[in-house]
């Protein structure tokens, strides 16, 4: 009888010990889960703050580039660049033109790269919509032409075409703005794009760069 009672007590003690061990494991698991959760949340918060700071830095850099003057840039008074839709041929005083009267249909400028010269009067309409027009002569190195065409293809509100009657091998134009650059790697290329693609000089910001004239 005493033996049976002792056996029951031992079994009860073992069960209690197992219960305490299980509870201890559960507590450890909860502690680990909480610790991991805290670490993950802290990591996400830290990553979020890093990304916000990174985006803020990008925005600040873009704003700084948009405000900085561009070395060698030529500037025309926007108020003197007329914007009438005409059918007669317009003779522009600068090549490529940076504004003035133009045809009613714009040249498609949604990252369009053209391999043949464009009609100035269509391209000027594209500038009115806030595009940047990259032009080059046969003196421009093929590698530069390739690099610039890749950039244009990735940039809405830009277009590119050959243009023989210009003073520099590579030129960039926007409404009332123009610069000659030394190469596709010239830092003024990015600066010009940042400043003038849909920039403050745009007479008709947000106007279409598709649905016009292709080639």
């Amino acid at each position: 009888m005493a033996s049976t009672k002792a056996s029951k007590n031992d079994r009860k003690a073992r069960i209690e010990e197992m219960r305490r061990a299980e509870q201890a494991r559960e507590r450890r698991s909860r502690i680990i889960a909480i610790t991991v959760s805290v670490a993950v949340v802290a990591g996400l918060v830290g990553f979020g703050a890093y990304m916000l700071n990174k985006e803020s830095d990008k925005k600040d850099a873009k704003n700084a580039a948009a405000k900085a003057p561009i070395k060698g840039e030529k500037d025309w008074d926007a108020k003197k660049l007329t914007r009438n839709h005409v059918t007669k041929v317009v003779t522009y005083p600068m090549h490529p033109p940076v504004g003035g009267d133009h045809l009613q249909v714009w040249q498609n400028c949604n990252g369009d790269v053209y391999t043949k010269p464009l009609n100035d009067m269509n391209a000027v309409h594209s500038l009115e919509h806030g595009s940047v027009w990259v032009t080059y002569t046969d003196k421009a190195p093929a590698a530069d032409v390739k690099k610039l065409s890749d950039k244009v293809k990735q940039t809405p509100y830009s277009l590119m075409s050959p243009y023989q009657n210009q003073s520099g091998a590579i030129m960039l134009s926007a409404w009332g703005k123009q610069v000659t650059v030394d190469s596709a790697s010239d830092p003024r290329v990015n600066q010009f794009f940042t400043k003038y693609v849909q920039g403050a000089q745009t007479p008709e910001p947000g106007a279409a760069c598709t649905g016009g004239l292709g080639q």
Side-chain angles (χ1 to χ4, degrees):
M1 192 75 174
S3 176
T4 302
K5 187 176 180 180
S7 179
K8 287 182 178 179
N9 288 337
D10 290 344
R11 187 163 58 251
K12 185 177 180 181
R14 285 196 299 272
I15 292 172
E16 185 62 30
E17 185 179 351
M18 291 173 63
R19 184 180 295 116
R20 286 196 298 269
E22 181 63 25
Q23 289 174 344
R25 280 195 296 272
E26 289 178 354
R27 284 196 298 271
R28 286 196 298 272
S29 295
R30 284 197 298 271
I31 292 171
I32 292 171
I34 292 170
T35 302
V36 170
S37 297
V38 170
V40 169
V41 170
L44 290 173
V45 170
F47 180 73
Y50 166 76
M51 292 304 295
L52 285 174
N53 288 334
K54 188 175 181 180
E55 288 302 314
S56 178
D57 290 345
K58 279 185 180 180
K59 187 175 181 180
D60 290 344
K62 186 174 182 179
N63 289 337
K67 293 177 181 178
I70 298 176
K71 183 180 178 181
E73 178 186 276
K74 293 182 179 179
D75 183 71
W76 286 263
D77 186 350
K79 294 180 180 179
K80 295 181 180 180
L81 295 174
T82 54
R83 297 169 46 206
N84 302 305
H85 291 173
V86 297
T87 55
K88 65 179 182 180
V89 175
V90 177
T91 300
Y92 297 103
M94 74 293 287
H95 302 282
V98 298
D101 293 344
H102 47 268
L103 290 172
Q104 185 172 4
V105 180
W106 58 89
Q107 193 74 35
N108 285 337
C109 46
N110 191 37
D112 293 272
V113 174
Y114 300 96
T115 57
K116 296 179 181 178
L118 304 177
N119 185 316
D120 283 354
M121 297 174 66
N122 297 114
V124 167
H125 197 159
S126 302
L127 301 186
E128 185 183 37
H129 289 190
S131 68
V132 163
W133 183 15
V134 179
T135 53
Y136 61 96
T137 69
D138 53 10
K139 294 181 181 179
D144 283 341
V145 174
K146 174 65 167 59
K147 186 173 182 177
L148 288 167
S149 66
D150 289 344
K151 182 174 182 63
V152 168
K153 289 175 182 177
Q154 297 172 12
T155 309
Y157 286 96
S158 71
L159 68 164
M160 180 174 173
S161 69
Y163 200 105
Q164 295 308 320
N165 188 25
Q166 64 180 34
S167 58
I170 301 172
M171 298 178 70
L172 282 69
S173 304
W175 187 270
K177 313 290 181 180
Q178 190 170 79
V179 68
T180 300
V181 296
D182 299 325
S183 70
S185 300
D186 191 316
R188 291 177 294 173
V189 173
N190 286 336
Q191 189 180 5
F192 198 91
F193 270 71
T194 298
K195 195 167 187 175
Y196 296 128
V197 170
Q198 286 285 283
Q201 86 294 339
T202 305
E204 296 181 4
C209 245
T210 60
L213 184 67
Q215 190 178 77

